[in-house]
Amino acid sequence: MATKVIPLHKKKHVSHVSTDYSSLHSKHVVTQQTVRKSSSKSVSQVQAQATEAMAEPAYTIPVFRQRGSEETEEYQRVSTHVGKGLAAIQEEIHRMRVATKTQVDNLAIQREVQEMMTKKVNLYEEVARVPDFLVALRPHTVWEKSPVKLFCTIQGHPRPIVKWCKGGVPIDPPNAPGKYKIENKYGVHSLIINRCMVSDTAEYSAVATNQYGTTTSKAMVTVKRPAGGAGESCHLGLVPHLTEIHPSKLEVSLLDRFHVTFGVEGSSVSLVCTMVVVPDLPNVPPLAQWYRDDKLLKPGKLVEMSVSGGAARLTLPHAAKDDEGLYTLRIFTKDGTAEHSAYLFIEDAAPSVAGAPGAPMSVKAYDINMDYVLVAWKPPNTTNEAATSGYFVDRCEAGSDTWVQCNDSPVKVCKYPVHGLRVGHTYHFRVRAVNSAGISRPSRKSDKVTALDPAESERLQVIKLDGKPDIVIKDDDLEGYVTIPGEPTDVHASEIFKSYVVLSWKPPSPRGRAPLWYIIEKCLAGTGTWQRINAAVKLHSPRYAVFDLEDGKKYHFRVYSVNTYGFSEASAPTGPIQKVDEHGKGVPSAPGQVVATRNTKSSVFVQWDPPKHPNNLMGYYIDGRAAGSKQWFPCNHKPFKHTRFVVHGLVPGETYVFRIQAVNVYGLSDESQESSPIAVEPALATPSAPFGITMLSCDGSSMTLAWKSPKHCGGSKVNAYYIDKRNADTLAWKEVNETSIKERIYTVEHLTEGTFYEFKIQAGNMAGVGVPSAPSTPLKCEAWTMAEPGPAYDLSFSEVRGNSLVFLWKAPVYSGASAVTGYFVDMAKKGSSEFVTLNAEATSHRYLHVKGLEEGESYVFKVRAVNAEGLGKASQVSEPVCAKALSGTKEIVCGVDEETGDIFLSLEACEICESSKFVWSKNYKAIGDCPRVSVTAKGRSSRLTFTNPDKDDLGRYSVVVTDTDGVSASHTVTEDALNSMLELSYAIRHPIVPLKHGLNYEILEKGHVRFWLQAVKLSSAVSYRFIVNDKEVTSGEGHKISHDVGTGIIQMTVDHFTKANEGTYTVQIHDGKAKNQSSLVLVGDVFKVALKEAEFQRKEHIRKQGPHFSEYLSFTVTEDCTVMLVCKVANVKKETTFHWFKDDEEIVPDAPPNVLSGSCALPIPLFSRKDHGIYKATLGDDRGKDTSLYDISGQVFEDIINALAQIAGASASELVLQCTPEGIRLQCYMTYYTEEMKTVWKHRDSKIASSEKMRIGGTAEMAWMQICDPTDKEKGHYTIEVSDGIKTHARTFDLSGQAYTDAYEEYLRLKAAAFAEKNRGRVVGGLPDVVTIMEHKSLSLTCTVFGEPTPEVTWFKNEQEVASNPHTKLTFEGGKFASLVITEVTPEDSGKYSINVRNKYGGEFVEITVSVYKHGEKIPEPKLGQPKAATPAVTPVPPKSPAPPPKTPTPTPSKSQTPAPSLKSPTPASTPASKSPTPTPKSPTPPRSVKSPTPPRFMKSPTPPRK
């Protein structure tokens, strides 16, 4: 942006138009340059005027559009000359050239005369003098933050060169902007130090030098801090008195200026401008003012302003489209004002509904009354969205967040009268746009307005009395006592639109003595019938909007005044009013011709003719689109009032088309005609000044100079440079070259050794010669004799990215005593003097790839050449470069042309201009005309094609796009990449039809065989043929040949595949230039396999004609571990039968199979090895029969067991400890267990084998492992692992510590209890439960007893012990046979007899019931459960040698045993003794288990106490 300083007495109205850099520099040339080839005073003035006429502010590229980099200096062009276009400007420039040529001839003569006159100088001045100080420096003591000025006067011949030093170190003002200022006026040299700090305390010196000597003057500057300052006390103890400084007395220099900025609705946007203020006083900041479109802004909630820390900042915390416009910062200085302007664009936020319009803007309230207000706004721009169909107006009371919609249906114009407000209440308003897609986001709310009577103050009269209070009189008081109001007057339509009419009138006079309201009536013209309009609304304001009028009809209106006392007379009726557009107006007509011209590299200047019918024009919307695209984009988002506009944020080099729409209260006009396409290029102007003049070599009579190219080329290529020189002690400049210089290096001849020279340079392009550079520092013409090399020059950058760049330079002109062998590169951050050497060893290349940079950080570089003698002089420091890639940067693409097969490198530039060229290099050496490559360019792209690529083409290739902001890229071609591309190139040049799949075959249903292949791509012109055994086969009977272009499949189907089809099959394909073939050999075993499969499929097809198995037998395992044999059937009917067989024996399941369900299943519960066998399922009816076999053995059996193990292992419980008399048992419960499962028990990770010591077994519900007679060796971890072939399910138990102790004690207890049970006294057999006997018979009750030691035997009758006597004889033989014999029983012998057998381990009590009946009596009927008949008892004869009962064996675990999962098991019950058969049935006596007064039979014997 352009920045101007305007004196206060010349300050005028400032528009958004300002000059660019060239016009400013042109003005400078007019005042300072008197002689210059092709750039005379008059010509410069004409150029300045022409350039200023074209100038207009230019702005940076928006971030959200991702355009190019920001412009460093931008401008806008406005003038009537712009309309002539670029051709007219170029014609004017040509005319100026001709005029300049004529004037140059005259100036040459004048110059020669002046040179002759300068030779007549005073002889005294020609005498050589050493520099001498006429006025030396003086010491100064100043306060902190105040400026100080050192000055001196020097004489000498030639004129001395003065350098300023601080503490012996030269002062460089550019390194400290705003800190130092060095001046030389009329022989007085001065150094100004601004805003002194304590650290500025030092000895300053002025060093004057010419070829005859050097003189120095020194002075001390002391900076003191006032009392109370941190770290430094005031020596005087007083604070100096400072006179009041007004902000306008400050000296302000603007530094970094804000550019054109783009924001989005709802976001925060800041504009910042940094500055240097002298003096910089914290309590006196500069006076800064901000303007939007020349309207002064004031700080508030929506606009925040600050001036501090050397920066002026404006922040929009919640940006809206209302904020769009030209922003100007105006700072008052002692020289006038410093100003800077830039445009701010605010883009629409994302809509709440896709396709909805943007939000309206500039909502304001007008004509405010007690209950009425007129709201107006500006419509949004629509580019690709549907047209806006209307608007909704919302209101909200101040302090509330509740919005109320005012209109039920959308209003079509940008005005709406709002009724129903409450007097004294404050409101905000907002508007939403509507189209066919939905409703927009709401606009920014309006400023608050209060509903009051605007005429209230007009009805008051104030009488001022000197020294007394004012007297206020109301007009109502002067009306007299009038109760009924007068009639309203001047009733008219103030707003007439298609949707409503607003009636207005003047309030009555007199108003009456009560609150006033109005009634309105309407009458259809010509009818005379009046109808009240606002019957339900009490209207207090002299405004009313009528909505319900019919189109095309005219109405009259009249108004009554009403109060509590009555009605007034009716007002005079209005004339006929019809609901039409006011004066027949609607939207404006379309704007006229649109002309777009070049402006900057990222902006275009657009101007247009206004519409013929503006109809109260609000402004214009400008739309643009890229040439060739159908998508329009908005260039502005708020109506622009002028007929010229600068469109920013465009892609450099891209071509665009523009159109304009006019805007008023009714909406948007039709689009104008589109402008001619225009490429985004800078406007043509002279280039800016070169800079960075440096000396590369000197031999005592000549100097070799180099310089940097202008920062701005002026829109065309710089093709000429002109150099001027002068002695440092003179003011007259002399031309060095009369013909233009193309390169930026030149040797100036014919110089005087020992003399100081200054040089300045001008650049030229097709527009002319630009402004001269600043004079170089004085350079002494002294021959270089050092052995080290001179400085490198022409430092440049390429391939700048976020964290890397390539730094390039040219070799020194002066190489020293030996050839240059390498270079060292130093780097520092911008503003820092601490340089770091990047390469540890000297690089022989003249480029360096620098990595590891911080993105967004700026760096400077310098180069030092080295030879055998040492390190040479450093180059000039480069311009700062920011480590940030240009927006849209693309890299080089390496590839192979799909049509020609050429290997190429290509780049698409992110920006380009008309004069840009693509410069390709290999290893950063320009390629030029090389037979190995060819370079072509088209539009924004360039391609480098290798003619015959080989290993000589390996290397790093780079390309630079000239006349851009550094568009460049590089790519390294490696050997592997080249070989891959050569293969691809050969394939393209010798094309084949690429195949996804070669020729293959597949067997189809019915036994058909399909031969097929698939190509990657086929065209519609493809041709092919099938060859079988060297004979072409065509589509016909038995063969079907076809192809599908979409899938690339070519196929042949053989209907009947037989032995005759054995052989070789080939497919030959031709598709354009490409061809291919694929073969398949079907002979021998391969053919037999195919033939067998084909025959099988034929049989399968026949099988499926009747009932058949769609899925053959297979197995599944349910969650409860039931194995199910399942199959699926198809083509069945009700009569179809189904049978199951195992090993040819039919199985009849509980539930008959239901074939109509489509599946059948056979459950096999508790699956084990016993279920081995061949299972068969048969299916049949009158159409046929099908069979499915399933052999459950081998691997199938293993798979079933593994499936069971998977479910069982997952359900396995933790190991449970249970003790038995034999030992300690570990048990694991699971859903199902069988010994066929792969179950492993481990002790301390060692596998346990089943043995007498460790017994392994299980039941259907659990697996167990028993430790017999445990010892301490059996302590430790025990694990059970159940494997399902894939996963192993493990459960562990730690049998050690207290767990083992408790288990061992329980085992001993159970063991002792078992021993006692085994050896206690008991009846082993021989006794019946009931005996029935006839009187006088003998009864013998004999039994075998057992016990160790021999038990004692006691008989009882009716619980009374029985003693042996003649009638009842008791015997106990051999300790085993006990008998009770009763001779000749009598009824008295009936009763309950019992025997008690007992030893020290316990005993047993057995009861016998004896019944005696008389002869002839009916045998008593036995009770329920007793035998019905009885026979006399026969005395049993004891065996001769009764064998003792066998020892109780150790109980062997059986599958039916399922002990409770507890730590201690109960004492096992005794095994019932076997009984000898008795001839008598059981009597109806209680069973043996019923308790009796004597010890019961199953009572536990005493157990020995635990150890």
Side-chain angles (χ1 to χ4, degrees):
M1 290 312 324
T3 303
K4 303 184 292 183
V5 177
I6 306 172
L8 288 173
H9 67 279
K10 294 184 178 181
K11 180 180 174 186
K12 296 180 179 179
H13 175 78
V14 181
S15 68
H16 77 289
V17 179
S18 59
T19 59
D20 62 3
Y21 72 89
S22 58
S23 65
L24 289 175
H25 289 175
S26 297
K27 293 179 181 179
H28 182 70
V29 172
V30 171
T31 58
Q32 294 190 8
Q33 182 177 345
T34 57
V35 180
R36 175 69 263 165
K37 178 192 307 178
S38 71
S39 184
S40 66
K41 178 177 180 180
S42 61
V43 176
S44 299
Q45 289 175 342
V46 174
Q47 288 179 332
Q49 294 171 359
T51 308
E52 185 175 6
M54 295 183 293
E56 184 156 342
Y59 311 108
T60 56
I61 297 169
V63 175
F64 65 83
R65 292 186 186 170
Q66 299 183 350
R67 306 301 196 214
S69 62
E70 295 185 353
E71 296 285 349
T72 55
E73 292 183 78
E74 300 179 298
Y75 50 90
Q76 293 183 327
R77 302 178 293 119
V78 293
S79 177
T80 56
H81 297 293
V82 178
K84 299 178 181 180
L86 182 59
I89 297 174
Q90 292 176 340
E91 290 177 2
E92 180 66 17
I93 292 174
H94 178 71
R95 186 190 64 76
M96 289 191 293
R97 286 180 180 172
V98 175
T100 302
K101 176 63 178 174
T102 303
Q103 294 178 3
V104 165
D105 295 338
N106 298 332
L107 292 173
I109 298 173
Q110 296 178 7
R111 188 181 302 110
E112 186 175 356
V113 173
Q114 290 177 354
E115 288 178 353
M116 296 295 293
M117 294 178 64
T118 57
K119 295 180 179 179
K120 298 179 180 181
V121 295
N122 194 313
L123 295 178
Y124 178 76
E125 293 179 352
E126 293 292 339
V127 178
R129 294 186 191 177
V130 176
D132 183 27
F133 284 90
L134 297 179
V135 178
L137 298 178
R138 294 185 303 160
H140 289 74
T141 299
V142 296
W143 293 113
E144 189 180 27
K145 298 183 180 179
S146 61
V148 64
K149 182 175 183 180
L150 305 177
F151 61 90
C152 59
T153 305
I154 307 170
Q155 68 177 0
H157 188 80
R159 184 160 57 91
I161 305 302
V162 177
K163 291 185 178 181
W164 291 87
C165 301
K166 173 186 176 183
V169 179
I171 294 174
D172 187 8
N175 286 340
K179 181 67 176 177
Y180 301 103
K181 186 176 182 181
I182 297 176
E183 295 179 346
N184 178 12
K185 295 181 180 179
Y186 311 108
V188 178
H189 298 264
S190 60
L191 170 67
I192 302 173
I193 308 173
N194 293 313
R195 204 170 188 275
C196 292
M197 297 182 292
V198 175
S199 59
D200 291 323
T201 300
E203 184 181 63
Y204 291 81
S205 57
V207 182
T209 305
N210 66 8
Q211 64 191 84
Y212 298 106
T214 300
T215 304
T216 302
S217 177
K218 300 181 180 180
M220 189 70 185
V221 174
T222 303
V223 181
K224 295 185 177 296
R225 180 173 290 138
E232 181 85 14
S233 61
C234 178
H235 295 287
L236 303 177
L238 298 173
V239 177
H241 174 71
L242 299 176
T243 58
E244 184 176 355
I245 300 178
H246 191 270
S248 62
K249 302 299 182 182
L250 302 175
E251 183 177 345
V252 181
S253 299
L254 301 182
L255 298 179
D256 296 330
R257 303 164 178 85
F258 57 91
H259 304 286
V260 163
T261 307
F262 289 81
V264 181
E265 277 186 306
S267 64
S268 177
V269 180
S270 294
L271 305 179
V272 182
C273 188
T274 60
M275 65 190 80
V276 175
V277 183
V278 180
D280 188 1
L281 304 177
N283 297 329
V284 187
L287 179 58
Q289 293 179 343
W290 290 88
Y291 294 83
R292 182 198 299 131
D293 297 331
D294 296 329
K295 182 179 180 181
L296 180 64
L297 298 177
K298 295 182 180 180
K301 291 183 179 180
L302 301 178
V303 181
E304 299 174 358
M305 305 176 189
S306 64
V307 181
S308 62
R313 179 185 300 270
L314 178 140
T315 301
L316 305 173
H318 302 285
K321 290 188 293 184
D322 307 61
D323 300 318
E324 183 170 294
L326 181 73
Y327 283 77
T328 300
L329 170 63
R330 182 174 299 157
I331 298 180
F332 293 87
T333 71
K334 67 178 182 180
D335 295 326
T337 58
E339 294 184 2
H340 174 68
S341 298
Y343 215 91
L344 171 64
F345 294 89
I346 303 297
E347 186 185 39
D348 282 300
S352 56
V353 179
M361 70 214 76
S362 303
V363 180
K364 295 182 180 179
Y366 302 93
D367 199 10
I368 303 167
N369 279 271
M370 288 187 290
D371 57 359
Y372 165 91
V373 69
L374 181 64
V375 180
W377 59 91
K378 292 180 180 179
N381 189 10
T382 55
T383 52
N384 302 304
E385 303 87 3
T388 301
S389 58
Y391 303 90
F392 284 115
V393 180
D394 304 332
R395 74 169 186 263
C396 171
E397 288 200 29
S400 171
D401 294 330
T402 303
W403 290 90
V404 179
Q405 184 172 303
C406 300
N407 50 324
D408 297 330
S409 59
V411 60
K412 297 184 181 299
V413 296
C414 296
K415 285 184 178 181
Y416 184 75
V418 178
H419 274 287
L421 306 182
R422 292 191 288 177
V423 179
H425 286 244
T426 303
Y427 296 89
H428 294 282
F429 298 91
R430 71 180 188 187
V431 182
R432 294 170 293 151
V434 184
N435 68 1
S436 58
I439 302 177
S440 74
R441 295 162 54 93
S443 67
R444 173 183 283 177
K445 66 181 182 181
S446 68
D447 295 335
K448 60 184 179 181
V449 295
T450 303
L452 294 173
D453 185 0
E456 182 70 26
S457 58
E458 299 176 1
R459 296 197 297 271
L460 299 178
Q461 297 184 21
V462 181
I463 301 175
K464 295 183 177 293
L465 302 175
D466 295 337
K468 296 183 180 180
D470 296 343
I471 298 175
V472 179
I473 302 175
K474 295 183 179 180
D475 287 351
D476 296 346
D477 298 332
L478 303 177
E479 293 176 354
Y481 191 78
V482 179
T483 57
I484 298 177
E487 68 274 7
T489 58
D490 191 20
V491 181
H492 64 283
S494 58
E495 302 278 351
I496 302 178
F497 295 106
K498 291 182 179 180
S499 53
Y500 64 88
V501 172
V502 176
L503 298 177
S504 301
W505 59 89
K506 292 182 180 179
S509 180
R511 297 174 57 88
R513 290 289 179 174
L516 184 69
W517 67 90
Y518 303 96
I519 292 177
I520 305 172
E521 292 182 344
K522 69 178 180 181
C523 171
L524 187 62
T527 63
T529 303
W530 290 92
Q531 179 183 359
R532 182 174 294 185
I533 296 176
N534 60 326
V537 178
K538 213 170 190 180
L539 183 62
H540 297 280
S541 300
R543 303 286 187 276
Y544 188 73
V546 183
F547 288 90
D548 55 349
L549 301 181
E550 297 183 23
D551 293 336
K553 295 185 178 181
K554 297 181 180 180
Y555 293 85
H556 297 280
F557 298 91
R558 65 185 184 188
V559 183
Y560 293 89
S561 300
V562 186
N563 64 10
T564 56
Y565 295 101
F567 288 75
S568 71
E569 296 291 332
S571 68
T574 64
I577 297 176
Q578 185 177 356
K579 190 179 69 171
V580 295
D581 294 339
E582 186 180 12
H583 307 298
K585 297 178 183 178
V587 297
S589 58
Q593 182 182 9
V594 182
V595 178
T597 52
R598 292 163 56 174
N599 187 52
T600 70
K601 65 184 297 183
S602 61
S603 64
V604 168
F605 181 77
V606 181
Q607 63 178 3
W608 57 92
D609 294 333
K612 293 182 180 180
H613 304 288
N615 293 356
N616 297 321
L617 187 70
M618 286 184 181
Y620 301 92
Y621 279 126
I622 301 95
D623 299 333
R625 65 173 174 86
S629 172
K630 296 182 179 180
Q631 290 294 109
W632 291 89
F633 60 87
C635 301
N636 65 320
H637 309 88
K638 177 181 176 181
F640 186 72
K641 295 182 179 180
H642 305 284
T643 57
R644 61 193 184 280
F645 190 75
V646 178
V647 181
H648 298 278
L650 305 178
V651 178
E654 186 66 78
T655 302
Y656 292 90
V657 174
F658 299 93
R659 70 184 184 190
I660 313 296
Q661 285 181 284
V663 184
N664 70 358
V665 70
Y666 297 98
L668 278 63
S669 72
D670 294 334
E671 294 90 352
S672 68
Q673 293 184 352
E674 298 177 2
S675 69
S676 300
I678 183 171
V680 183
E681 304 283 353
L684 192 63
T686 57
S688 59
F691 63 100
I693 303 173
T694 183
M695 182 168 63
L696 302 180
S697 179
C698 181
D699 60 5
S701 62
S702 65
M703 292 184 183
T704 301
L705 304 178
W707 57 92
K708 298 178 181 178
S709 57
K711 293 183 178 180
H712 300 277
C713 65
S716 65
K717 183 179 180 180
V718 175
N719 54 16
Y721 292 97
Y722 297 95
I723 304 176
D724 289 347
K725 70 175 181 180
R726 72 178 179 186
N727 291 345
D729 59 345
T730 64
L731 298 177
W733 291 91
K734 296 182 180 180
E735 292 183 354
V736 172
N737 59 311
E738 297 205 359
T739 59
S740 63
I741 302 170
K742 303 293 184 183
E743 303 296 330
R744 287 182 285 109
I745 183 171
Y746 188 75
T747 300
V748 182
E749 306 283 354
H750 311 299
L751 302 179
T752 302
E753 187 171 6
T755 303
F756 285 88
Y757 290 93
E758 292 179 350
F759 300 91
K760 65 180 181 180
I761 304 174
Q762 290 174 274
N765 62 6
M766 65 178 295
V769 179
V771 296
S773 68
S776 68
T777 57
L779 303 174
K780 187 176 183 180
C781 184
E782 182 177 25
W784 286 10
T785 59
M786 63 239 187
E788 297 81 8
Y793 70 101
D794 199 10
L795 312 183
S796 61
F797 302 96
S798 179
E799 304 160 40
V800 179
R801 301 296 185 264
N803 56 7
S804 66
L805 56 82
V806 176
F807 178 49
L808 305 100
W809 62 90
K810 290 184 178 179
V813 174
Y814 180 81
S815 60
S818 61
V820 174
T821 58
Y823 302 89
F824 287 98
V825 178
D826 300 334
M827 179 186 75
K829 290 186 177 181
K830 179 183 177 182
S832 172
S833 59
E834 298 179 359
F835 281 85
V836 178
T837 302
L838 299 178
N839 49 326
E841 297 182 359
T843 176
S844 58
H845 305 295
R846 292 195 298 277
Y847 64 89
L848 185 67
H849 192 195
V850 183
K851 299 180 180 180
L853 304 179
E854 298 179 22
E855 187 169 4
E857 189 68 53
S858 295
Y859 298 87
V860 292
F861 296 83
K862 63 182 180 180
V863 184
R864 295 170 294 163
V866 64
N867 62 7
E869 307 301 325
L871 199 59
K873 184 179 180 181
S875 68
Q876 275 193 336
V877 177
S878 70
E879 286 294 298
V881 57
C882 180
K884 183 179 180 181
L886 293 174
S887 177
T889 294
K890 297 183 178 180
E891 301 299 337
I892 291 177
V893 176
C894 182
V896 181
D897 192 290
E898 294 182 357
E899 298 294 333
T900 64
D902 293 334
I903 298 175
F904 66 88
L905 301 174
S906 70
L907 174 71
E908 182 180 355
C910 60
E911 66 174 74
I912 198 172
C913 67
E914 187 177 357
S915 60
S916 293
K917 293 184 178 180
F918 292 85
V919 179
W920 287 87
S921 303
K922 180 181 179 182
N923 297 328
Y924 297 99
K925 294 181 180 179
I927 293 177
D929 295 331
C930 177
R932 300 192 65 85
V933 297
S934 62
V935 178
T936 58
K938 183 179 180 181
R940 304 166 66 86
S941 300
S942 176
R943 173 181 286 196
L944 181 144
T945 305
F946 297 94
T947 55
N948 188 19
D950 57 24
K951 291 185 178 180
D952 293 338
D953 294 310
L954 301 179
R956 188 182 184 93
Y957 290 82
S958 60
V959 60
V960 175
V961 185
T962 63
D963 297 334
T964 63
D965 281 342
V967 177
S968 55
S970 67
H971 182 83
T972 301
V973 179
T974 62
E975 185 173 358
D976 291 341
L978 180 62
N979 291 337
S980 299
M981 289 187 291
L982 285 172
E983 293 178 4
L984 181 57
S985 175
Y986 180 85
I988 294 175
R989 291 175 177 176
H990 303 84
I992 63 172
V993 178
L995 301 179
K996 282 186 179 180
H997 301 284
L999 186 60
N1000 207 336
Y1001 78 93
E1002 65 174 330
I1003 310 300
L1004 305 179
E1005 291 184 355
K1006 301 182 182 181
H1008 297 174
V1009 180
R1010 172 178 173 255
F1011 294 89
W1012 65 278
L1013 62 77
Q1014 185 176 16
V1016 174
K1017 183 179 180 182
L1018 291 177
S1019 71
S1020 58
V1022 65
S1023 63
Y1024 54 89
R1025 61 178 186 158
F1026 277 88
I1027 299 174
V1028 181
N1029 295 330
D1030 298 329
K1031 293 182 180 180
E1032 183 176 358
V1033 178
T1034 59
S1035 185
E1037 185 176 356
H1039 298 83
K1040 295 179 182 178
I1041 300 175
S1042 64
H1043 74 281
D1044 186 349
V1045 174
T1047 59
I1049 293 178
I1050 300 174
Q1051 62 183 2
M1052 176 182 70
T1053 303
V1054 179
D1055 292 343
H1056 191 65
F1057 195 72
T1058 63
K1059 292 182 179 180
N1061 296 109
E1062 184 175 9
T1064 302
Y1065 293 76
T1066 302
V1067 180
Q1068 295 178 345
I1069 310 172
H1070 292 267
D1071 194 356
K1073 297 180 180 179
K1075 59 184 179 180
N1076 203 345
Q1077 75 173 27
S1078 180
S1079 298
L1080 175 66
V1081 178
L1082 275 181
V1083 296
D1085 293 339
V1086 177
F1087 174 76
K1088 291 178 181 178
V1089 171
L1091 182 60
K1092 183 179 179 180
E1093 178 66 17
E1095 292 176 349
F1096 172 77
Q1097 290 297 335
R1098 272 196 297 272
K1099 293 178 180 178
E1100 279 291 289
H1101 175 70
I1102 296 172
R1103 180 179 70 88
K1104 292 180 180 179
Q1105 301 308 305
H1108 62 276
F1109 290 94
S1110 58
E1111 291 184 11
Y1112 287 107
L1113 284 176
S1114 62
F1115 79 89
T1116 60
V1117 178
T1118 63
E1119 290 296 324
D1120 62 352
C1121 290
T1122 299
V1123 177
M1124 305 288 291
L1125 293 184
V1126 296
C1127 62
K1128 290 187 178 180
V1129 297
N1131 198 14
V1132 296
K1133 59 184 181 178
K1134 186 176 181 181
E1135 292 77 11
T1136 304
T1137 60
F1138 188 96
H1139 299 279
W1140 291 99
F1141 297 89
K1142 177 186 178 185
D1143 296 333
D1144 294 331
E1145 292 185 7
E1146 185 174 358
I1147 303 173
V1148 180
D1150 295 338
N1154 181 13
V1155 294
L1156 296 179
S1157 66
S1159 63
C1160 297
L1162 176 66
I1164 306 177
L1166 301 178
F1167 183 86
S1168 63
R1169 197 171 297 278
K1170 63 180 175 59
D1171 297 305
H1172 263 216
I1174 297 176
Y1175 290 79
K1176 179 172 67 174
T1178 62
L1179 183 71
D1181 57 22
D1182 55 354
R1183 295 170 296 168
K1185 182 179 180 181
D1186 198 7
T1187 302
S1188 177
L1189 297 176
Y1190 198 63
D1191 185 2
I1192 299 183
S1193 63
Q1195 186 59 45
V1196 175
F1197 181 80
E1198 292 294 327
D1199 292 342
I1200 296 176
I1201 292 298
N1202 287 337
L1204 291 170
Q1206 181 180 5
I1207 299 174
S1211 67
S1213 68
E1214 295 298 328
L1215 286 177
V1216 177
L1217 177 67
Q1218 184 160 343
C1219 297
T1220 67
E1222 289 78 25
I1224 300 174
R1225 177 180 292 187
L1226 296 178
Q1227 300 175 163
C1228 180
Y1229 293 91
M1230 55 191 72
T1231 303
Y1232 176 67
Y1233 174 77
T1234 178
E1235 61 182 6
E1236 284 81 9
M1237 291 182 183
K1238 298 175 183 177
T1239 306
V1240 176
W1241 288 87
K1242 292 183 178 180
H1243 177 221
R1244 298 175 182 171
D1245 297 330
S1246 296
K1247 185 177 178 181
I1248 300 174
S1250 183
S1251 63
E1252 289 297 327
K1253 183 67 174 178
M1254 298 285 192
R1255 297 179 182 177
I1256 297 174
T1259 67
E1261 293 83 13
M1262 72 172 178
W1264 54 260
M1265 188 275 299
Q1266 181 166 291
I1267 307 168
C1268 297
D1269 296 329
T1271 62
D1272 288 345
K1273 291 182 180 180
E1274 281 73 49
K1275 291 182 179 179
H1277 279 81
Y1278 286 83
T1279 304
I1280 182 174
E1281 295 180 353
V1282 180
S1283 175
D1284 58 14
I1286 298 176
K1287 183 178 179 182
T1288 299
H1289 307 270
R1291 303 292 186 268
T1292 60
F1293 189 87
D1294 184 9
L1295 186 59
S1296 60
Q1298 189 63 38
Y1300 177 80
T1301 301
D1302 294 345
Y1304 188 75
E1305 290 179 358
E1306 179 66 8
Y1307 155 69
L1308 292 179
R1309 185 185 70 79
L1310 294 177
K1311 182 178 180 181
F1315 182 81
E1317 175 65 20
K1318 177 182 177 182
N1319 294 289
R1320 68 178 176 83
R1322 61 181 180 272
V1323 176
V1324 233
L1327 288 179
D1329 292 332
V1330 178
V1331 176
T1332 303
I1333 191 170
M1334 190 188 313
E1335 187 179 17
H1336 303 303
K1337 297 288 186 182
S1338 293
L1339 172 65
S1340 176
L1341 298 176
T1342 303
C1343 64
T1344 304
V1345 299
F1346 172 78
E1348 190 68 35
T1350 301
E1352 296 179 358
V1353 177
T1354 307
W1355 290 89
F1356 296 89
K1357 176 184 178 184
N1358 297 331
E1359 299 182 1
Q1360 298 296 323
E1361 186 176 350
V1362 177
S1364 183
N1365 55 42
H1367 182 69
T1368 303
K1369 185 179 180 181
L1370 303 178
T1371 61
F1372 184 49
E1373 299 177 357
K1376 295 181 181 179
F1377 303 102
S1379 299
L1380 183 149
V1381 179
I1382 304 175
T1383 59
E1384 295 186 2
V1385 295
T1386 63
E1388 287 78 10
D1389 293 322
S1390 296
K1392 183 180 291 184
Y1393 290 81
S1394 60
I1395 182 174
N1396 186 7
V1397 183
R1398 183 169 298 277
N1399 63 8
K1400 65 178 181 179
Y1401 294 113
E1404 185 177 14
F1405 190 83
V1406 180
E1407 296 178 347
I1408 309 101
T1409 302
V1410 178
S1411 297
V1412 180
Y1413 64 93
K1414 293 181 179 182
H1415 179 71
E1417 290 183 354
K1418 186 179 179 181
I1419 298 176
E1421 289 291 334
K1423 295 183 180 179
L1424 185 64
Q1426 294 178 339
K1428 294 185 179 181
T1431 57
V1434 180
T1435 303
V1437 179
K1440 294 181 179 180
S1441 59
K1447 295 183 179 179
T1448 305
T1450 302
T1452 302
S1454 64
K1455 293 183 181 179
S1456 61
Q1457 293 173 338
T1458 310
S1462 61
L1463 179 63
K1464 297 179 180 180
S1465 61
T1467 303
S1470 61
T1471 303
S1474 58
K1475 296 184 174 68
S1476 58
T1478 55
T1480 57
K1482 294 182 180 180
S1483 62
T1485 56
R1488 295 180 181 180
S1489 59
V1490 177
K1491 292 183 180 180
S1492 62
T1494 57
R1497 184 174 182 177
F1498 293 103
M1499 180 179 292
K1500 293 182 181 179
S1501 60
T1503 303
R1506 297 184 181 182
K1507 294 181 181 179

